[in-house]
Amino acid sequence: MSYNLHTYGAVDQNEKSVTVPPGSSGLTGKIKEALSKSGWKMAVRGGPRVTEGRLGDNTRLEQYDTFHTRYELILKWHQYDTCISNFSPALFYDITLIDNKTNSEVISLDGRGCEYVVVEKFTEAMNGTGQSQ
């Protein structure tokens, strides 16, 4: 089992709101359960897509997504086996937490491992107790 944790900033524990992917199966459900237990407010969709700009000789329009939460969670995973130690799913995973206020990546966690260990490492990173590798 292996994991790569990179922290690029601290998670603001005073603004515990995050946009999460829909669904509740596998790692997605376990991560959302851990967030809920830690007091995080979750939303499944971001805010409206906005188009702004200037009209005139040199028209310039820009589009961007908006969010009603401080953070956005991007989560990719798939099961490749079963962990023998406790029969939990063995996963390849890639988790990214983005700060919507600063548009910066705060946490990146990827690797392969038992589902319960992935949730544990993610929770530690969110609480600022995980160690970057």
Side-chain angles (χ1 to χ4, degrees):
M1 305 304 158
S2 66
Y3 75 96
N4 301 302
L5 171 63
H6 301 282
T7 54
Y8 304 107
V11 175
D12 186 343
Q13 298 297 319
N14 295 316
E15 289 191 62
K16 293 175 102 173
S17 64
V18 61
T19 300
V20 294
S24 62
S25 66
L27 184 61
T28 303
K30 297 293 185 190
I31 293 287
K32 289 165 84 171
E33 194 175 293
L35 287 167
S36 179
K37 285 180 182 177
S38 295
W40 283 79
K41 177 185 165 204
M42 292 179 279
V44 176
R45 293 204 170 121
R49 185 152 183 86
V50 174
T51 302
E52 284 185 342
R54 293 185 308 253
L55 296 175
D57 292 339
N58 296 317
T59 299
R60 178 178 164 87
L61 301 176
E62 294 180 356
Q63 283 191 329
Y64 56 89
D65 294 320
T66 62
F67 292 90
H68 298 295
T69 59
R70 171 69 187 264
Y71 297 97
E72 178 185 11
L73 180 68
I74 299 172
L75 176 62
K76 299 174 190 169
W77 63 272
H78 70 273
Q79 182 174 349
Y80 68 89
D81 206 345
T82 300
C83 293
I84 296 184
S85 61
N86 66 355
F87 301 106
S88 73
L91 308 171
F92 285 112
Y93 61 91
D94 192 354
I95 303 170
T96 302
L97 186 71
I98 298 169
D99 186 333
N100 293 322
K101 192 174 187 178
T102 63
N103 289 319
S104 61
E105 186 173 1
V106 180
I107 296 171
S108 176
L109 177 64
D110 69 273
R112 62 186 178 91
C114 298
E115 183 178 73
Y116 76 95
V117 175
V118 176
V119 174
E120 181 181 288
K121 295 296 180 191
F122 172 75
T123 302
E124 289 173 1
M126 292 290 284
N127 292 331
T129 58
Q131 297 181 11
S132 290
Q133 285 189 319

